[in-house]
Amino acid sequence: MSLNIKMVTTSEIILAIIIVSLSVVMPIYYYYQRKKNPKQDSKPTDNPEIKNYIDRINEITRTKRK
């Protein structure tokens, strides 16, 4: 029974280290970016016209269900 063992080259080891380190570092980086600038993730519902429109639709729906 012969075993076909492939030797891992230095470039494959370096590539694996880069991939693993990026998969650890990038989520941490994006977490701190979002924490630093929380308005980036908020929805743009600060417009009073949109809020009034949504309130009217909600009121119409509530009166229909009663």
Side-chain angles (χ1 to χ4, degrees), residues 25-39:
V25 170
M26 291 306 288
I28 295 170
Y29 171 76
Y30 284 118
Y31 170 75
Y32 282 111
Q33 286 296 318
R34 276 187 296 163
K35 194 173 182 182
K36 194 188 306 183
N37 191 1
K39 287 191 173 187

Side-chain angles (χ1 to χ4, degrees), residues 52-62:
N52 289 336
Y53 179 72
I54 292 172
D55 288 341
R56 281 189 308 203
I57 291 176
N58 285 337
E59 190 63 37
I60 291 169
T61 305
R62 286 186 195 115

Side-chain angles (χ1 to χ4, degrees), residues 2 5 8 20 25 32 36 43-45 53 64-65:
S2 69
I5 300 175
V8 178
V20 169
V25 170
Y32 282 111
K36 194 188 306 183
K43 294 180 182 176
T45 58
Y53 179 72
K64 283 182 181 178
R65 291 190 177 189

